[in-house]
Amino acid sequence: MNYLNAFWVGGAICAICQIFIDRTKLTPARILVSLVVLGVFLQAVGVYQPLVDYAGAGATVPLLGFGYSLAKGVARAVAESGLIGVFTGGVTGAAGGIAAAITFGCLFALIAKPKSKS
C-alpha cells in the first residue's frame, strides 16, 4: 500500500505541474521555483509533514519535497545552533538534492538541446 500511495501522490503532483506547463504561459523554471517555495510554505505551516508520512517518496521526491527538506533543515539547525541555522540549515538539509540537481543538470545540459517556450 505504501508504494501505491507514493505512486498516486507523486503522480498527482507531477500531473498538476504538467497541466501548468501546458496550459499557462509560465515558464517551466517559474513553475519549478514556485513548487520549491510552496513546499517551504506548506512545511512552515505544518501541512506537508502529514503528506510525507502518508506518501513517503511520492511527497519527498518532487520539487515540493525539496522545499520541504529546506524548511525542515532550517528548523532543525535553528533549534540546534540558533540564528546561524537560518543560513546553514537549508543547505545541510537538502545537500543530497542539491548535489543531484547540479550533477544531473550538468549531465543533461551536455546531451540536450534546450529551447525557450514560445
Side-chain angles (χ1 to χ4, degrees):
M1 196 62 173
N2 291 337
Y3 292 118
L4 182 63
N5 291 339
F7 180 78
W8 83 262
V9 170
I13 292 169
C14 293
I16 291 168
C17 295
Q18 189 63 48
I19 291 168
F20 276 111
I21 290 170
D22 292 342
R23 304 280 181 186
T24 67
K25 292 189 183 238
L26 292 171
T27 62
R30 287 185 178 165
I31 294 169
L32 298 177
V33 169
S34 299
L35 288 171
V36 173
V37 172
L38 182 61
V40 169
F41 176 76
L42 291 175
Q43 176 60 17
V45 297
V47 175
Y48 207 73
Q49 186 62 49
L51 184 63
V52 169
D53 294 340
Y54 175 75
T60 59
V61 172
L63 279 172
L64 283 170
F66 184 69
Y68 156 80
S69 296
L70 288 171
K72 193 169 182 181
V74 168
R76 186 178 311 127
V78 167
E80 292 173 2
S81 55
L83 186 59
I84 194 72
V86 171
F87 302 105
T88 62
V91 175
T92 304
I98 293 168
I102 291 170
T103 302
F104 290 115
C106 290
L107 177 68
F108 287 113
L110 294 172
I111 61 175
K113 294 183 180 182
K115 298 181 227 172
S116 63
K117 190 171 180 179
S118 298

